[in-house]
Amino acid sequence: MIDDIKENKECQLKDPMDLFHSGQLVKICAPMVRYSKLAFRTLVRKYSCDLCYTPMIVAADFVRSAKARDSEFTTNKGDHPLIVQFAAKEAQVLCDAARIICPFADGIDLNCGCPQRWAISEGYGACLINKPELVKDMVRHVRSQIDNPKFSVSIKIRIHEDLKRTVDLCQKAEAAGVSWITVHGRSIEERHQPVHYDAIKIIKQSMSIPVVANGDIKSLTDAENVHHLTEADGIMVARGLLANPAMFAGYEETPFQCIQDWVDIALEHGTPFTCFHHHLMYMMERITSKQEKKVFNVLSSTSAVLDYLNDHYGLG
């Protein structure tokens, strides 16, 4: 995919920091495994999403394998500003991945927040919050090796039980030249416990770079409330956007036009059926009855889904 876009792509790049300097709350689609791919990014951009992240990509695989690059990363000229999130544990590997992606994306993000066991056992994700010197080194290396000063280098973290350690990590990253920091307001062990928005506020007050708040934001009202609670410069949303890709435009539930837009975009992009269907299941969760879900959720082909949407909603 990289070769396909090389010719007409480089002039389309944007400076993501312009968003943070606009004075407006920056609305961001989170990196989501399997879900924050090009077709879905195209959809949320239609509904007031300012900045999108790719799903997390393992940098070592991306550098080593052209096949991995082609399967993990697709983009087009409308897909900006775009941040590519990498899992990495070695500075030079992250630099090599950043150099490859630099002509086609507007920045990279280092994942320091994934709590999944496989990631932590490999030395990726949330275990990096306990290695502030390594994070600092990785950020500094990318900063020094990428010539484009507008190319952003950000990190996404979870918090420590002892918040002083989180502030120290963030200040070390800031000193190394990180562009902004996204804070998921839970510790590694916490999954569904309430988000510590007070902790995000303390981190924000300790930094002079932008801070993005993440965790349990399900509507535009939630986003505005969290913005006021934390003083964060941006709001990053994952599951809330899966359930309602139009939430940043102020819709309380997924409008039918958004469902139609997803069908059109997904078919145009050749989205695999499972992904196409799963997105619709998320989007229609709040607007379908249990009985309707029993029927819709077991459909097994694109044509069956299109027939169902046409018969029940006049869509498709």
Side-chain angles (χ1 to χ4, degrees), residues 9-19 45 49-51 76-83 102-108 148-152 180:
K9 182 70 184 18
E10 299 192 32
C11 60
Q12 305 292 334
L13 298 183
K14 298 181 180 177
D15 183 352
M17 290 304 293
D18 288 346
L19 292 169
R45 289 184 195 279
C49 184
D50 300 313
L51 180 63
N76 61 27
K77 63 184 178 182
D79 188 28
H80 294 280
L82 176 66
I83 305 302
C102 183
F104 314 107
D106 304 283
I108 63 156
N148 179 2
K150 293 183 177 181
F151 189 77
S152 66
W180 68 84

Side-chain angles (χ1 to χ4, degrees), residues 16-27 50 210 227 232-234:
M17 290 304 293
D18 288 346
L19 292 169
F20 292 106
H21 295 147
S22 70
Q24 303 294 311
L25 179 64
V26 183
K27 301 183 285 294
D50 300 313
H227 170 52
D233 305 272

Side-chain angles (χ1 to χ4, degrees), residues 6-283:
K6 202 158 193 166
E7 287 177 20
N8 64 355
K9 182 70 184 18
E10 299 192 32
C11 60
Q12 305 292 334
L13 298 183
K14 298 181 180 177
D15 183 352
M17 290 304 293
D18 288 346
L19 292 169
F20 292 106
H21 295 147
S22 70
Q24 303 294 311
L25 179 64
V26 183
K27 301 183 285 294
I28 304 170
C29 175
M32 291 179 276
V33 175
R34 294 185 300 278
Y35 293 124
S36 61
K37 295 196 168 185
L38 176 59
F40 187 69
R41 298 194 302 264
T42 303
L43 178 67
V44 295
R45 289 184 195 279
K46 283 178 72 87
Y47 290 92
S48 303
C49 184
D50 300 313
L51 180 63
C52 292
Y53 281 54
T54 67
M56 182 181 76
I57 300 169
V58 176
D61 296 342
F62 189 81
V63 170
R64 188 171 53 238
S65 162
K67 187 177 179 184
R69 291 195 287 276
D70 287 343
S71 65
E72 297 283 345
F73 179 72
T74 53
T75 189
N76 61 27
K77 63 184 178 182
D79 188 28
H80 294 280
L82 176 66
I83 305 302
V84 178
Q85 190 187 64
F86 285 114
K89 56 186 175 182
E90 296 166 277
Q92 194 53 53
V93 173
L94 183 61
C95 285
D96 292 344
R99 263 208 302 268
I100 293 167
I101 215 72
C102 183
F104 314 107
D106 304 283
I108 63 156
D109 184 83
L110 175 62
N111 185 314
C112 304
C114 178
Q116 292 182 31
R117 278 201 199 113
W118 76 265
I120 290 174
S121 68
E122 293 280 342
Y124 300 136
C127 70
L128 291 175
I129 67 170
N130 297 318
K131 301 176 181 178
E133 293 298 333
L134 176 57
V135 172
K136 181 179 175 181
D137 192 43
M138 288 198 275
V139 171
R140 183 177 282 152
H141 265 74
V142 177
R143 269 275 164 258
S144 66
Q145 292 189 31
I146 298 294
D147 293 334
N148 179 2
K150 293 183 177 181
F151 189 77
S152 66
V153 183
S154 56
I155 62 174
K156 183 172 187 285
I157 66 169
R158 283 183 172 241
I159 60 173
H160 300 83
E161 300 290 347
D162 177 3
L163 201 59
K164 288 198 284 290
R165 294 179 65 198
T166 316
V167 170
D168 176 65
L169 166 70
C170 292
Q171 289 176 340
K172 281 185 165 73
E174 180 176 10
V178 83
S179 305
W180 68 84
I181 297 175
T182 301
V183 183
H184 181 90
R186 292 187 177 99
S187 68
I188 296 174
E189 291 77 25
E190 291 175 321
R191 290 296 187 275
H192 304 293
Q193 291 89 334
V195 177
H196 302 285
Y197 295 122
D198 54 335
I200 301 176
K201 182 175 183 176
I202 290 167
I203 293 164
K204 170 60 189 169
Q205 291 174 337
S206 309
M207 314 295 295
S208 55
I209 56 169
V211 169
V212 173
N214 173 232
D216 277 5
I217 298 159
K218 307 236 166 48
S219 67
L220 186 59
T221 303
D222 286 351
E224 288 163 350
N225 289 341
V226 170
H227 170 52
H228 292 302
L229 280 171
T230 62
E231 301 172 7
D233 305 272
I235 297 291
M236 177 182 282
V237 179
R239 284 174 298 182
L241 278 174
L242 284 181
N244 178 8
M247 67 163 272
F248 282 145
Y251 292 92
E252 289 298 315
E253 58 186 34
T254 311
F256 286 122
Q257 183 58 51
C258 182
I259 295 170
Q260 181 65 62
D261 287 339
W262 170 246
V263 170
D264 295 342
I265 291 165
L267 293 180
E268 183 187 337
H269 283 82
T271 301
F273 171 73
T274 302
C275 180
F276 169 63
H277 190 208
H278 280 186
H279 275 293
L280 286 169
M281 286 158 62
Y282 279 116
M283 288 180 210

